[in-house]
Amino acid sequence: MTACIVGWSHLPFGKHQDASAESMVVEAARAAIADAGLEPADIDEIFLGHFNGGFVAQDFTSSLVLQADPALRFKPATRVENACATGTAAVHQGVRAIEARAARIVLVVGVEKMSELAGPAVGETLLRCSYVQEEKAIEGGFAGVFGQIAQSYFQRHGDQSDALAAISARAHRNGCANPYAQIRKDLGFEFCRAVSEKNPIVAGPLKRSDCSLVSDGAAALVLADIGTALRQRKAVAFRAHAQVNDFLPMSRRDVVEFEGCTRAWGQALQQAGLELADLDLVETHDCFTIAELLEYEAMGLTGRGQGSRAVLEGWTEKEGRLPINPSGGLKAKGHPIGATGVSMHVLTAMQVRGEAGGMQVEGAKLGGIYNMGGACVASYVSILEPLR
């Protein structure tokens, strides 16, 4: 336990035509510093999670955070990128800066502005998170990548369409209680299960309801060392944090095993001295419903090929054995890539402090986070608990 979250902010996710990446960074940064009860001059270092990849023209963005206040001028600021795990990569860099005693107070901001590109261009940009040399011809962009993964899993373990629909339906049901979610509507199992004009097939067996959303948004948090955190109004400690990277080409690994996810969870739980069953909730990376299904198995919630049990038997409900994505996850909340991992940490911090409102899991004190870059290439796990 070396770093704590002592303040945070979260902007609503969605398609925000009147907001820019810069304006969202500034708004989120100011709000997080204020929430921590600190002054901008107190910040020692800044990390900005921003994937970009061509979503906006401004590609050098680390110093945009300085626009939040003149007192941030000349603070060290670094942009961090690791595909869809960009936000957690930035958070973990902040934790490491505190562990190394290079900083006492760190500001982390995650942002993405995806809606400036048209649909096909969004798909082309996201496909750069794959191994382009081998996978650029996959139809359907990154949805096509996960469509292939879903097909492989179905061939090995049978049709899982009911489980995928249940994952999507639960996400949207939970998202109704999330004030930051892009979609706050209970779509229901039947809608998510059936192919229709409003829910067409996108890639392989994946329908539109199986895919996360194109989103704009930002979230921010302030990290502090233990000594500083104990003097703050609130403090959520990192019980553990782990990162694992796997081979980029899907051809070099079994894509339905999610071995990097398994290893990251194993390292984090060992570091924390915990079992998975000790956790009160998990915010996991449901960029596609098949990803969440595989993550159940990879984290050890079920055996291999049995992930459907977790959702069909109610284990992942808010009152279940291990509540998964009480926020609605990426599926309902939205997936502005650079902001996603920061959002997951903010929402989990709210949970373990009992401040999650309608999303609250009763009695939650230990929260896990799994944020993934690419098709389980970069795997990050954090475990949070309240310090005060």
Side-chain angles (χ1 to χ4, degrees), residues 121-276:
V122 170
E124 292 173 7
T125 299
L126 292 177
L127 195 56
R128 294 171 192 157
C129 293
S130 68
Y131 185 52
V132 176
Q133 183 171 322
E134 292 181 1
E135 297 155 16
K136 65 180 178 182
I138 294 176
E139 293 185 9
F142 217 61
V145 170
F146 277 87
Q148 287 193 2
I149 293 171
Q151 285 179 322
S152 296
Y153 187 87
F154 282 23
Q155 288 168 3
R156 192 175 302 181
H157 300 296
D159 190 322
Q160 304 293 322
S161 297
D162 284 353
L164 299 190
I167 288 170
S168 181
R170 191 209 63 238
H172 284 289
R173 188 166 61 250
N174 287 351
C176 292
N178 185 347
Y180 311 116
Q182 185 167 348
I183 296 181
R184 300 182 67 187
K185 182 178 181 181
D186 186 351
L187 299 181
F189 175 82
E190 295 301 328
F191 175 85
C192 296
R193 179 64 178 85
V195 177
S196 65
E197 183 178 351
K198 291 185 177 180
N199 192 28
I201 291 289
V202 175
L206 301 181
K207 300 179 286 294
R208 182 176 292 165
S209 60
D210 294 305
C211 307
S212 58
L213 304 160
V214 173
S215 307
D216 307 327
L221 53 83
V222 177
L223 301 170
D225 62 14
I226 296 295
T228 303
L230 288 171
R231 297 192 295 271
Q232 303 307 115
R233 179 177 60 86
K234 59 185 178 183
V236 174
F238 280 79
R239 178 80 172 255
H241 62 93
Q243 176 191 354
V244 168
N245 272 56
D246 204 346
F247 293 124
L248 183 58
M250 292 196 294
S251 62
R252 295 200 63 182
R253 50 201 168 89
D254 186 338
V255 294
V256 304
E257 289 293 317
F258 273 30
E259 294 170 88
C261 177
T262 299
R263 286 179 175 266
W265 270 110
Q267 289 180 16
L269 289 168
Q270 183 179 26
Q271 186 185 136
L274 298 170
E275 301 289 338
L276 186 69

Side-chain angles (χ1 to χ4, degrees), residues 42-55:
D42 296 324
I43 303 298
D44 297 314
E45 190 162 5
I46 298 164
F47 292 98
L48 174 68
H50 183 209
F51 171 73
N52 198 26
F55 283 123

Side-chain angles (χ1 to χ4, degrees), residues 1-8 47 87-99 104 106-108 220-227 229-230 234-243 267-274 279 341-350 352-353 365-371 380-388:
M1 188 185 298
T2 54
C4 294
I5 303 170
V6 297
W8 55 74
F47 292 98
T88 300
V91 173
H92 282 201
Q93 286 300 109
V95 172
R96 290 191 178 103
I98 290 171
E99 288 177 336
R104 186 173 58 90
V106 174
L107 172 64
V108 180
L221 53 83
V222 177
L223 301 170
D225 62 14
I226 296 295
L230 288 171
K234 59 185 178 183
V236 174
F238 280 79
R239 178 80 172 255
H241 62 93
Q243 176 191 354
Q267 289 180 16
L269 289 168
Q270 183 179 26
Q271 186 185 136
L274 298 170
L279 301 183
V342 182
S343 164
M344 295 168 102
H345 283 78
V346 168
L347 292 165
T348 304
M350 292 169 64
V352 300
R353 277 187 51 83
K365 292 298 179 185
L366 283 167
I369 297 157
Y370 175 69
N371 190 196
Y380 291 82
V381 171
S382 300
I383 298 175
L384 303 184
E385 65 179 350
L387 185 65
R388 59 176 304 165

Side-chain angles (χ1 to χ4, degrees), residues 22-63:
E22 179 178 345
S23 68
M24 290 188 290
V25 164
V26 168
E27 183 178 355
R30 286 174 176 166
I33 295 170
D35 185 61
L38 298 168
E39 297 297 328
D42 296 324
I43 303 298
D44 297 314
E45 190 162 5
I46 298 164
F47 292 98
L48 174 68
H50 183 209
F51 171 73
N52 198 26
F55 283 123
V56 297
Q58 181 65 55
D59 203 41
F60 176 30
T61 50
S62 57
S63 281

